[in-house]
Structures are given as structure tokens and as C-alpha cells.
Amino acid sequence: MMTLHFMKEGEVSGYDIMKKVESLTGEKPSTGSVYPLLKKMEREGWISGRTKDGKTCYSLTEVGKEHVAQIKEAKCGFIKNIYQSIALANETFDDAELQALMEDMHNLHRGFHPPDGQGRTGSVSSNSDIDALEKARIERLKLNPREEFVQAVLDNDLARCLLKTAEIHGHFCPGSALGVMASAYGLNRLGMESISSDGLENLMAVVEINACFADGVQAVSGCTLGNNALVYRDLGRLAVTFAVRGRDTGVRVRVLPDFREKVAEAAPEFYPLMEKVIKDRAGDKKDAASFRETGREAAFALIELPFEELFAIETVRPDLPDYAPITESVICPGCGEMIMATKVIAEGDGRGLCFSCAGGEYRQVEGRGIVGRCYYD
């Protein structure tokens, strides 16, 4: 957004952008971050480059000008991200200054206008402006509910992916971070067709463990148990295979065995606390809070590491199940509930009854994996 903003007034070079950023932030960005960005924006058709005397200058295209007009629309999400970051820092450090800053950001996010003479210059957006932006965002997500995740994967924004994964996982931990990294890398290897999956069993993910890792896979890929695009193989390995139906090959990403060493380096207390709080179900509230804190510390440290230090990836011929069948529903004469026709007793005295009413055997996924159970156990 900043780069597009710089081009509103005319042509700029990569060096010009670096100097402008340095003047605003006090730090000069690297050429390795600026020039690839410019090339990407040029490929997207947002800007065009013109080389003269060995120097390439860039200017906005008509498409780029439209994006500049949309920058204001992005402000609401930008402010929300800053607020979330400050809230996370405040929870981590429990600092009075951060608490005050968080309250200020909360007021800003809600469109608060401070009274005159309180030291702030200008005003922020009104509530109606932010409401309109949020409504526009919701309308976009109605058309593409995974738009924000897709963009994060394309940008390799692992922090954003991890934050959104925690919305369903409930906390930050090394396992979910590894699932996020494996998925973002694997999907980028497969290409745009996989990243923009619509959850209709075109993209498939075969996960080999039912642990925190699996939630990272479900969140980032969009392949879930509910949309039948996630296959769970009860193998107990930190690995996932991504494949697109119709392709002969997919990619399998597995976590290297020494990943625990990386976790221990980032958060030395994580595994001792995990042993105490999770495995032994011991410890007090302070231990539980420390465990969550060290888990968060380890998770965000892991996503900063090079992929090859944590993972291996290989091309494979995927073994995928057929598309999920559309199954008729029947009414159980015992309980009167609607049941999938394939989940009733087929023969014998209990014919037509659901497993519950007939006391039949069933299988369930739990912490131990896939286990057989019986209602009369």
C-alpha cells in the first residue's frame, strides 16, 4: 500500500522507495524486499516499469490507480491488525503503557473522536465510515470466504495465518505453527489452483496425525472434515500430503525429527511445562498461563525459521478416496432422529435402528486416534 501511495505523484524507482521508507521509519529496507515486490506488482498489472539510462522507474497503471482508491477501504483491517498486535503484546508483557496504548487503539478502531485540546491532531474515521468498510469487507467475503487466507498464503504471511488458525485452535503452540508452515509451503508448491480452493473436494489434504498440527492444516488449506476435503490417516506422523484431483502428483510435507530442538531453543520451558500441565494434568493456574505464554513464544519463533530447517518435502503420487457420496437420510424408529442411511443396522432384530438405539458398534476419532466403541460398553 505504501509503495502504491508513493506512485500517486508520479514515477519512482526502487531506490526512491527505499529512501522514502527510511525517512519515515528510520530503517532502510533491503533490496531483497523492495525489488521482488515491484516485480510482483508489475506482473499483477498494477504498475509498469520504464528503463532509462540504466535506471528503472515505475508508475501506476489504471488497475494500480484503482488499488490506490481502495487503500482507504483497507484502513479498517489495518487498524484492527495493529490493535490485535498490541493486545497480544499487552497480554504477554502485562505492561501499563501497553494497556493505555491498547485502550487508545480500541477507541481509534471504534471511530472515537477525542475532544479538542487532548493532544491529538486531526480526527479518525467516524463509526459510520468504519461500519461501511466492515460491511464492504463482509460483502467481499460473501463472494470469496477465504479471500483473506488466500492472500496471506500468497504473501507467505505466516504470522497472519497463525493468528487466524488460533481462532479455531484456541491457543498458539508449536504444533499448529508447524501445520501452518507445512500448509503454506505445500500449497505454494502446488500453485494458485490449490491456494484458491473452494472446499468442494478439488484440493485434498491427507493428514497423518490428529494433533495441533492438523488444525494448522485445516485452517490454512480450507480442507476440513466437514467439507470432506480432509482425509485423516491414523499413522501418528507429523506430515500432510496435498493433492489436486485430476493431477498425477501431489506434495508431501513432513516435519523433521529434530524440530523439538528448535522449540526448546525458542522456549526452553515449553516441554517441561507441557509435561506438567498437559501430560500429568498437574500444576496451578500460573503454570497453565506460563504454558500458554511459552507456547505462543515458541510458535511465533518457529514461523521465522527457514522452511528447510524444519521440514522435508517430496513429490508423491497421492492415494485419494473417491468424492464423498451423497447419502439418503432415514428416520430411526427408535429415537425418531434423522440418520444417514448408511449408519443404521442393516440386518437382524435391530434392523433400521441407529447404532445408539441398537447398541451397535461405531468408530470415533479421539486423542488416541480412530478407535472402535460400542454403546453398551
Side-chain angles (χ1 to χ4, degrees), residues 8-140:
K8 284 175 59 178
E9 305 302 324
E11 289 186 330
V12 294
S13 66
Y15 180 76
D16 295 332
I17 292 170
M18 292 165 65
K19 294 298 292 182
K20 285 178 179 288
V21 172
E22 183 180 18
S23 68
L24 289 170
T25 67
E27 295 185 9
K28 187 176 181 180
S30 67
T31 56
S33 61
V34 172
Y35 287 98
L37 173 64
L38 290 170
K39 291 299 182 183
K40 177 183 177 181
M41 293 169 69
E42 190 172 25
R43 289 194 302 271
E44 295 289 341
W46 299 356
I47 64 175
S48 61
R50 181 179 66 87
T51 303
K52 182 178 180 181
D53 298 329
K55 180 180 180 180
T56 302
C57 291
Y58 297 88
S59 58
L60 295 173
T61 63
E62 290 303 315
V63 175
K65 291 176 182 177
E66 292 178 7
H67 279 278
V68 169
Q70 294 169 4
I71 286 177
K72 181 180 179 181
E73 183 179 325
K75 180 175 61 176
C76 181
F78 176 70
I79 293 173
K80 183 184 294 184
N81 287 339
I82 294 176
Y83 173 71
Q84 290 173 340
S85 297
I86 294 173
L88 181 61
N90 177 64
E91 181 182 348
T92 302
F93 300 110
D94 192 22
D95 183 87
E97 291 183 0
L98 283 171
Q99 177 64 36
L101 183 58
M102 189 172 73
E103 292 176 0
D104 287 344
M105 286 301 303
H106 181 64
N107 290 332
L108 176 63
H109 178 59
R110 295 184 61 188
F112 174 76
H113 289 269
D116 293 338
Q118 291 199 0
R120 295 187 190 177
T121 58
S123 62
V124 297
S125 299
S126 66
N127 281 323
S128 60
D129 288 338
I130 289 184
D131 288 344
L133 292 175
E134 187 63 16
K135 287 179 180 178
R137 172 177 173 269
I138 290 172
E139 290 303 315
R140 293 199 311 273

Side-chain angles (χ1 to χ4, degrees), residues 321-369:
D322 293 333
Y323 283 98
I326 303 299
T327 305
E328 293 183 4
S329 297
V330 297
I331 301 298
C332 171
C335 61
E337 295 186 28
M338 187 169 65
I339 309 293
M340 293 174 64
T342 54
K343 303 300 179 182
V344 298
I345 301 299
E347 299 177 349
D349 295 338
R351 183 176 180 179
L353 292 174
C354 68
F355 296 158
S356 177
C357 291
E361 295 181 349
Y362 63 95
R363 290 166 291 175
Q364 71 180 29
V365 177
E366 57 182 50
R368 293 177 293 170

Side-chain angles (χ1 to χ4, degrees), residues 14 28 32 87-88 122 125 136 149 152 155-156 181 188 200 231 246 253 274 293 302 345 347 350 358:
K28 187 176 181 180
L88 181 61
S125 299
F149 246 133
D155 295 340
N156 198 34
M181 293 181 73
N188 272 302
L200 296 178
V231 177
V253 186
M274 182 177 178
E293 182 179 335
L302 284 181
I345 301 299
E347 299 177 349

